Amino acid sequence: MNVKLKASIVGAAAALALATAPATAIARDTISIVGSSTVYPFATTVAERFGRGGNPTPKIESTGSGGGLKLFCQGVGTDTPDITNASRRMKKSEFEQCQSNGIKDITEVVIGYDGIVMANSAKATHIDLTLRDIFLALAKEVPDPKGGEKLVPNPYKTWKEVNSSLPDTKIEVLGPPPTSGTRDAFNELAIEGGCKTFDWLKAIKDEDKNKYKAICRSIREDGAYVEAGENDNLIVQKLVSNPNALGVFGYSFLDQNRGKVQGAKINGVAPAMEVIASGEYPVSRSLYFYVKKAHVGVVPGIEGYIKEFTSERAWGPEGYLVDKGMIPLPDDKRAEMAKQAQGLASMTGSEL
């Protein structure tokens, strides 16, 4: 088929999909972006640069990764977002939800790395934690302190009860809600990471995966962990006013608030760009955004925004996003992702 003809057919199909969307949909000339609070400061920086180039500045809402994907997957039409940011990968169930709602072509873009930190006020005692400490302090159920292979509701009230080398202060951790990608990643990397240090709990995974996840990824609900919303800056403010509390958020917020808060060492490793990029820091993850291809060419500017985000001046080692705390991908991975993003390669679902 003639390339131009094929392109026009694809464009017409996208326009038809939007035209036949619910009657509530209205035409707009501004890109709509939702999703992760961790990716939000990076996306807003790119959006501002993009806007200064003579384009309408994209509208970005911080809804959390799960909330953003839920909005993104509602369907095709200008009353739904064009792009969603995520601090974890899209789940298979979310991809299937998108597909069932008519969103057949989605482009996945890995933009960089981030570490999840546990931090406290810079005026407080610096704390060194292990993954086991984090699990014992925050899991809903933990091994019985009296011994044996038995789980009990979490009895620990202070950090010293968890580990005699830790401060004798109340366990009080401010962190994101279940809709947050940071919460998902923290549960998997930190809580489960500590759970796996008990061989008998690790063995449950081979017997019953659902039971294992329920034990190793559940956070206590008795007030020791406080859901502080999707605003990571608010957690930083609360830590400054409460030196006994710890907070859970992305490395970039630690980087932007040095002097106010300090990051705990985890398994002996302090959070820093180099060790997060190398994977040596144990609570590291990738950051993403997802593009709804049916909106490209209909809502103006989407391709230009993607090109700006995946340019070396933005996400390269010397780029302006590094100044905001984003940890860049290796050169080869960055080149591969730029090609994938700018070519709008479609996910198949098999990669999830």
Side-chain angles (χ1 to χ4, degrees):
M1 184 184 286
N2 179 282
V3 174
K4 288 185 178 179
L5 178 59
K6 186 176 180 181
S8 67
I9 291 172
V10 171
L16 179 62
L18 286 168
T20 55
T24 53
I26 54 169
R28 55 178 165 81
D29 61 2
T30 303
I31 301 167
S32 172
I33 303 172
V34 294
S36 165
S37 63
T38 301
V39 180
Y40 178 81
F42 307 136
T44 52
T45 301
V46 174
E48 286 161 8
R49 294 274 184 139
F50 182 66
R52 289 205 294 267
N55 308 287
T57 302
K59 178 188 173 188
I60 306 178
E61 295 176 79
S62 177
T63 63
S65 298
L69 282 157
K70 187 176 180 181
L71 291 166
F72 181 83
C73 289
Q74 282 180 343
V76 173
T78 52
D79 58 341
T80 65
D82 310 309
I83 295 170
T84 190
N85 301 318
S87 58
R88 59 159 174 83
R89 195 168 209 181
M90 177 185 279
K91 297 174 184 175
K92 184 90 171 173
S93 59
E94 290 164 335
F95 179 80
E96 289 167 353
Q97 182 68 34
C98 270
Q99 295 285 301
S100 67
N101 286 337
I103 306 163
K104 300 302 182 186
D105 292 302
I106 303 165
T107 298
E108 177 183 73
V109 185
V110 182
I111 60 171
Y113 302 117
D114 185 39
I116 300 172
V117 302
M118 291 193 73
N120 61 355
S121 166
K123 295 176 182 176
T125 303
H126 189 268
I127 191 166
D128 291 0
L129 299 167
T130 65
L131 291 175
R132 179 176 282 210
D133 293 336
I134 296 169
F135 170 69
L136 291 176
L138 295 178
K140 192 170 186 177
E141 293 186 312
V142 296
D144 191 338
K146 295 173 185 174
E149 295 184 358
K150 175 189 170 187
L151 291 168
V152 295
N154 197 321
Y156 299 115
K157 304 298 182 188
T158 70
W159 287 101
K160 196 172 186 67
E161 289 174 5
V162 167
N163 180 334
S164 60
S165 68
L166 295 174
D168 191 15
T169 53
K170 185 176 78 167
I171 297 169
E172 185 179 0
V173 177
L174 309 172
T179 51
S180 164
T182 298
R183 170 75 170 266
D184 286 337
F186 181 71
N187 287 0
E188 180 180 347
L189 298 170
I191 304 295
E192 183 184 340
C195 185
K196 288 190 293 190
T197 65
F198 293 91
D199 290 340
W200 64 276
L201 289 176
K202 185 179 180 181
I204 295 173
K205 189 173 185 179
D206 295 329
E207 301 160 13
D208 187 336
K209 282 188 178 179
N210 288 333
K211 181 181 178 183
Y212 170 78
K213 280 187 179 181
I215 295 167
C216 290
R217 295 191 188 181
S218 292
I219 287 185
R220 62 197 295 185
E221 298 170 348
D222 59 358
Y225 181 92
V226 180
E227 290 179 7
E230 295 284 1
N231 187 339
D232 294 336
N233 281 314
L234 187 60
I235 296 178
V236 171
Q237 290 168 23
K238 287 183 176 180
L239 294 181
V240 171
S241 62
N242 182 359
N244 288 327
L246 286 168
V248 176
F249 44 81
Y251 171 79
S252 62
F253 287 90
L254 172 67
D255 197 48
Q256 296 296 308
N257 290 281
R258 292 196 185 278
K260 293 181 182 177
V261 291
Q262 58 185 343
K265 282 185 179 179
I266 297 180
N267 283 5
V269 183
M273 279 195 172
E274 298 75 21
V275 290
I276 293 170
S278 69
E280 184 185 348
Y281 182 71
V283 197
S284 306
R285 41 106 183 246
S286 298
L287 302 177
Y288 303 81
F289 68 75
Y290 293 90
V291 183
K292 196 176 293 178
K293 278 181 71 175
H295 288 197
V296 175
V298 179
V299 176
I302 295 174
E303 287 174 295
Y305 172 82
I306 295 168
K307 190 172 182 180
E308 177 62 33
F309 208 128
T310 58
S311 67
E312 283 298 289
R313 68 176 172 270
W315 74 351
E318 307 297 326
Y320 57 77
L321 292 178
V322 173
D323 295 336
K324 291 289 180 182
M326 194 174 83
I327 298 159
L329 300 169
D331 293 351
D332 56 343
K333 180 74 171 173
R334 216 166 52 251
E336 177 192 333
M337 271 297 138
K339 185 177 179 182
Q340 181 172 307
Q342 294 173 26
L344 293 167
S346 293
M347 298 172 67
T348 63
S350 62
E351 58 274 82
L352 301 176

